[in-house]
Amino acid sequence: MAFSLFSAKNRIINLVLNDHSIRFVELKQSKPPAAQKWNERFLPPGIITDGKIVDIDTLTNIIEQCIDEWKINRRSIRFLVPDPLVIIRKVSIPEDIQDDEIKGYLYLELGSSIHLPFEEPVFDYYPLQGNGKTKDLLLFAAPEQYVMAYAQLFASLKLTPVAADISPLSLYRLYHYLELAGEKEVLFTVQFDLTSVNLCIFEESVPLVMRQFALPFNIDNWEIKPDLMGFIEYKYIGDSEELVIQFEDIFKEINKLLDFYRYSLSNNEKKDVTKFLLNGDHPMITAIYDEMKERFEVPIERITFDSDAKGSVPANLLLSLGLALKEVQ
């Protein structure tokens, strides 16, 4: 599943931009594939806000510097559509719509019988098991103007966008690639980053519901500097009670989504989530993991990925790595 704006090419750079960083991973063409190069750059607040490009000139200058430093000029790229822009929705269409007519049907019905909180969406869909009377689909959509703002920015810098994806699918792709997925599993992914949290529930490989939450971020409360390896190191120097309140709010949202799945999405089967998958770049991620173990009876998984002699790919780059695995069979 990906937004159908581009066609596939080889030797692709995998870029992930959010409100506070730019990251990339390049795979070495080997079997099994290995991460060959990776890096990241901090973005000051106000350049990207809630996934939308706010300061295009500054972002352009920063990406130009990254292209030069990372030696990725004139490359094809995949990128993640920022989480705040994406919605996932289950829709039903008439059973007699043929498979090759679904895309056109959705184009016609978006804005009329299928309502989204924005106009002019870019979208993709995934077929679900129908009931014999309708075809059920999982619709992935985002505002085209904001997605294309990224694509046009990249193109202006001689980077060629060939695919766009969403973060829960990239994370699940890596999870599945590492053979961590179980049969009939209901997986609850928690992507806990510095400025946002993404929650998504998968039945086997299908993401049924996604929720996105912004985290308050005051740069004055953080000490930000490169570590010995050149990666960004965040140290919180503000009032710790503020973080406790933020985390408490997210744990409440996790409980709400657990209940929503249990009582509304599981087709009256009263199924439960069988595992959490925790990932993210938040510097308190270990404390978050420990707190989740205390609060929830569901097992919690974390991912590590070793890449030949270079050692483990840093945890904050695993989304980029999952995106890089998109075309790997």
Side-chain angles (χ1 to χ4, degrees):
M1 282 171 278
F3 293 108
S4 305
L5 291 174
F6 318 108
S7 59
K9 294 184 179 180
N10 294 322
R11 289 197 73 230
I12 300 174
I13 294 297
N14 302 278
L15 283 176
V16 173
L17 285 77
N18 56 31
D19 287 10
H20 62 278
S21 68
I22 305 173
R23 294 170 177 142
F24 97 101
V25 165
E26 181 181 1
L27 284 189
K28 180 166 45 173
Q29 300 302 313
S30 61
K31 292 186 178 181
Q36 182 177 23
K37 296 185 345 186
W38 58 78
N39 216 317
E40 66 175 336
R41 172 76 176 263
F42 175 70
L43 282 182
I47 297 175
I48 299 176
T49 301
D50 295 330
K52 302 172 184 176
I53 299 173
V54 176
D55 188 342
I56 185 69
D57 293 334
T58 301
L59 183 59
T60 300
N61 290 335
I62 290 175
I63 295 179
E64 281 181 327
Q65 295 171 19
C66 292
I67 290 171
D68 183 56
E69 293 172 10
W70 300 344
K71 296 179 172 54
I72 59 171
N73 56 305
R74 298 185 180 274
R75 299 291 293 277
S76 298
I77 64 165
R78 300 185 193 95
F79 67 98
L80 289 187
V81 178
D83 291 333
L85 303 181
V86 179
I87 67 167
I88 299 176
R89 181 167 296 175
K90 183 179 178 181
V91 299
S92 297
I93 65 174
E95 176 68 22
D96 59 0
I97 301 296
Q98 300 300 308
D99 290 349
D100 60 356
E101 298 173 342
I102 291 176
K103 197 87 173 181
Y105 179 86
L106 292 174
Y107 269 118
L108 292 174
E109 295 302 316
L110 286 170
S112 55
S113 66
I114 301 174
H115 297 284
L116 296 175
F118 42 78
E119 297 181 354
E120 301 297 329
V122 56
F123 67 90
D124 201 356
Y125 67 90
Y126 181 83
L128 300 172
Q129 185 173 358
N131 57 15
K133 298 179 181 178
T134 62
K135 286 185 176 179
D136 293 335
L137 308 172
L138 208 57
L139 182 69
F140 302 81
E144 185 175 26
Q145 70 178 99
Y146 297 121
V147 178
M148 291 307 297
Y150 285 95
Q152 291 163 0
L153 170 60
F154 297 141
S156 73
L157 296 171
K158 304 298 189 294
L159 299 174
T160 304
V162 297
D165 206 356
I166 63 176
S167 68
L169 290 177
S170 287
L171 182 59
Y172 188 87
R173 187 178 298 113
L174 178 60
Y175 174 76
H176 187 271
Y177 175 80
L178 295 174
E179 299 181 343
L180 298 173
E183 289 187 15
K184 298 183 178 179
E185 184 173 75
V186 179
L187 183 72
F188 192 138
T189 63
V190 180
Q191 178 70 26
F192 213 120
D193 290 327
L194 184 66
T195 56
S196 65
V197 178
N198 181 281
L199 309 178
C200 189
I201 295 179
F202 288 77
E203 278 191 358
E204 299 187 23
S205 62
V206 179
L208 291 184
V209 59
M210 185 178 78
R211 297 286 186 270
Q212 169 74 20
F213 304 95
L215 291 178
F217 179 71
N218 182 348
I219 195 170
D220 294 333
N221 290 335
W222 293 89
E223 183 180 282
I224 303 170
K225 61 182 181 180
D227 64 15
L228 295 176
M229 299 296 292
F231 291 100
I232 303 167
E233 186 176 80
Y234 302 91
K235 181 180 179 182
Y236 188 70
I237 56 175
D239 182 358
S240 60
E241 188 62 27
E242 292 184 14
L243 285 186
V244 171
I245 293 171
Q246 290 181 25
F247 295 170
E248 190 65 39
D249 288 343
I250 296 301
F251 295 140
K252 289 178 182 177
E253 295 297 341
I254 290 174
N255 270 317
K256 288 180 185 177
L257 198 53
L258 284 170
D259 288 341
F260 179 67
Y261 174 77
R262 184 179 296 123
Y263 299 113
S264 300
L265 285 184
S266 57
N267 297 319
N268 298 318
E269 297 179 31
K270 295 292 179 66
K271 292 192 295 185
D272 283 313
V273 166
T274 57
K275 187 192 293 184
F276 283 110
L277 175 60
L278 176 65
N279 187 58
D281 65 25
H282 200 288
M284 309 295 190
I285 196 74
T286 299
I288 293 165
Y289 172 81
D290 291 340
E291 185 66 22
M292 287 181 65
K293 285 182 66 176
E294 287 289 326
R295 289 172 178 255
F296 304 107
E297 297 180 0
V298 180
I300 305 170
E301 183 92 55
R302 295 186 66 188
I303 293 177
T304 58
F305 187 92
D306 292 325
S307 185
D308 298 339
K310 293 190 71 173
S312 295
V313 176
N316 56 2
L317 294 175
L318 291 178
L319 277 184
S320 305
L321 184 57
L323 180 61
L325 292 170
K326 186 171 176 55
E327 304 301 328
V328 175
Q329 300 298 322

